Amino acid sequence: MHARTRIALGAAGALAAAGILAGCGEAGSSGAEAPQAAATGAGCAPVAGDQLVVLEDDQKLQNTDNIVPAVNADAATPELIAALDKVSAALDTERLIQLNRAVDVDRQTPAVAAEEFAAANGLTDGIATGPGGELTVGAANFSESETLGELYRIVLTAAGYDVTVQQIGNRELYEPALESGEIQVVPEYAATMADFINNKIEGADATPISSPDLDETMSGLRRVGEQVGIVFGEPSAAQDQNAFAVTSEFAEQYGVRTLSELAEKCSGAATVLGGPPECPQRPKCQQGLEEVYDFRAGEFSSLDAGGPQTKTALTTGEISVGLVFSSDGELAAG
């Protein structure tokens, strides 16, 4: 999994993982920690396997972090927005997983993976030519963002622009550059960007404007974006957000495909939840599983944020369920 600085663990869907918080309870064996609340059932012991499956978030714990083009208002011509919307129309989460797999597993460059995707999906077909000129597409410092930036480069080039993709870093760096016009376009994540801009305007303790409802999230995002000179194209169906995965063998053995089924069948002492150290206290991780689904794990194992530690612990049968990112190239559809 590519390294990320964005993970929906904090309140309001703020995806930058902040300081490491102490886990709840006393440390157990093998890095496992005592559960936040008592689990009374037998639970579901880990089951090793080669393939990971994301459980459906059927009660909408996570917010709508759909990929959406963000554009400096002064650069936002109708032709530019229409070209970027071609990318949004072609993307869903499964296709995003395949793009990430091409880069992170098959080791293609983001540019090559984007060119192949664009050709296979006719992204440049029928694109209207805009006024032209130079554009810089900013990308965050993880491979998914770079690949999306290359897709934007392809369609904007077809629309008559001279386009450069520039990796800038995290949102704290590229969002001001987008506001000022130093860069003109960035691939963004709707819920995260909505709360980021809102917090910038209203302060860190602002009431969240992101929502599990995409229309509500986009309405809030467009409203705050207008205040800072950023407009947004159409959101794609593709999402990159917190998700919870099990092995295919676990899903088959226990008959679990959704988080509601996980809570119903697997709350109990044998179930081990794995995730980053701050997971037990965060509303989009263990705390949210308990509050929204009434899921009670028997143990919590402190690992990483959707990275190799968590995925290895799943495949080797050390944890029952683990926090991952929904567009990880190593995942299969649930």
Side-chain angles (χ1 to χ4, degrees), residues 167-180:
Q167 187 189 90
I168 295 177
N170 60 24
R171 186 171 288 103
E172 286 76 9
L173 293 175
Y174 67 69
E175 190 277 340
L178 186 62
E179 283 190 32
S180 68

Side-chain angles (χ1 to χ4, degrees), residues 15 23 34 44 68 94 134 136 138 141 158 167 184 187 227 280 288 305-306 310 312:
L15 300 185
C44 299
V68 60
E94 182 57 33
E134 295 185 354
T136 299
N141 55 350
Q167 187 189 90
Q184 289 76 46
Q227 296 180 55
T310 299
T312 297

Side-chain angles (χ1 to χ4, degrees), residues 167-210:
Q167 187 189 90
I168 295 177
N170 60 24
R171 186 171 288 103
E172 286 76 9
L173 293 175
Y174 67 69
E175 190 277 340
L178 186 62
E179 283 190 32
S180 68
E182 181 181 348
I183 60 176
Q184 289 76 46
V185 180
V186 173
E188 258 300 351
Y189 300 85
T192 304
M193 188 61 156
D195 288 326
F196 181 90
I197 298 176
N198 189 50
N199 289 349
K200 187 172 182 177
I201 295 170
E202 302 293 340
D205 296 327
T207 301
I209 62 171
S210 62

Side-chain angles (χ1 to χ4, degrees), residues 6-292:
R6 47 176 304 280
I7 174 170
L9 292 172
L15 300 185
I20 300 302
L21 302 180
C24 54
E26 297 298 324
S29 61
S30 302
E33 296 175 358
Q36 202 162 18
T40 58
C44 299
V47 181
D50 295 330
Q51 181 63 62
L52 302 183
V53 177
V54 169
L55 299 177
E56 180 188 349
D57 181 16
D58 54 310
Q59 294 189 43
K60 308 297 183 186
L61 167 61
Q62 308 299 338
N63 285 336
T64 44
D65 245 338
N66 297 61
I67 292 166
V68 60
V71 184
N72 175 271
D74 292 337
T77 67
E79 295 86 0
L80 182 146
I81 296 293
L84 295 173
D85 286 348
K86 290 270 288 186
V87 176
S88 293
L91 279 176
D92 58 22
T93 302
E94 182 57 33
R95 286 177 170 177
L96 184 59
I97 289 172
Q98 295 306 318
L99 271 170
N100 287 335
R101 178 182 294 274
V103 175
D104 299 326
V105 179
D106 299 335
R107 301 303 177 190
Q108 292 184 358
T109 66
V112 168
E115 292 285 357
E116 291 184 357
F117 182 89
N121 291 277
L123 289 192
T124 60
D125 295 348
I127 287 184
T129 301
E134 295 185 354
L135 290 176
T136 299
V137 175
N141 55 350
F142 56 94
S143 60
E144 178 177 286
S145 184
E146 292 181 62
T147 304
L148 293 168
E150 294 292 347
L151 287 174
Y152 288 176
R153 174 188 59 79
I154 291 166
V155 295
L156 292 172
T157 299
Y161 294 94
D162 181 10
V163 187
T164 301
V165 178
Q166 179 180 347
Q167 187 189 90
I168 295 177
N170 60 24
R171 186 171 288 103
E172 286 76 9
L173 293 175
Y174 67 69
E175 190 277 340
L178 186 62
E179 283 190 32
S180 68
E182 181 181 348
I183 60 176
Q184 289 76 46
V185 180
V186 173
E188 258 300 351
Y189 300 85
T192 304
M193 188 61 156
D195 288 326
F196 181 90
I197 298 176
N198 189 50
N199 289 349
K200 187 172 182 177
I201 295 170
E202 302 293 340
D205 296 327
T207 301
I209 62 171
S210 62
S211 164
D213 181 273
L214 180 58
D215 289 341
E216 290 183 14
T217 295
M218 287 303 302
S219 176
L221 177 60
R222 295 189 196 282
R223 175 174 54 80
V224 295
E226 185 176 358
Q227 296 180 55
V228 296
I230 300 174
V231 300
F232 298 90
E234 290 300 311
S236 74
Q239 294 186 337
D240 182 355
Q241 59 195 24
N242 280 6
F244 294 92
V246 298
T247 62
S248 295
E249 290 80 358
F250 180 99
E252 184 68 25
Q253 179 168 324
Y254 296 112
V256 170
R257 291 290 175 179
T258 69
L259 289 177
S260 290
E261 290 173 343
L262 179 75
E264 177 186 355
K265 299 178 181 182
C266 294
S267 288
T271 304
V272 183
L273 171 66
E278 62 269 32
C279 178
Q281 288 86 8
R282 296 304 173 90
K284 301 302 179 183
C285 205
Q286 186 174 9
Q287 183 184 103
L289 287 174
E290 293 178 352
E291 293 177 354
V292 174

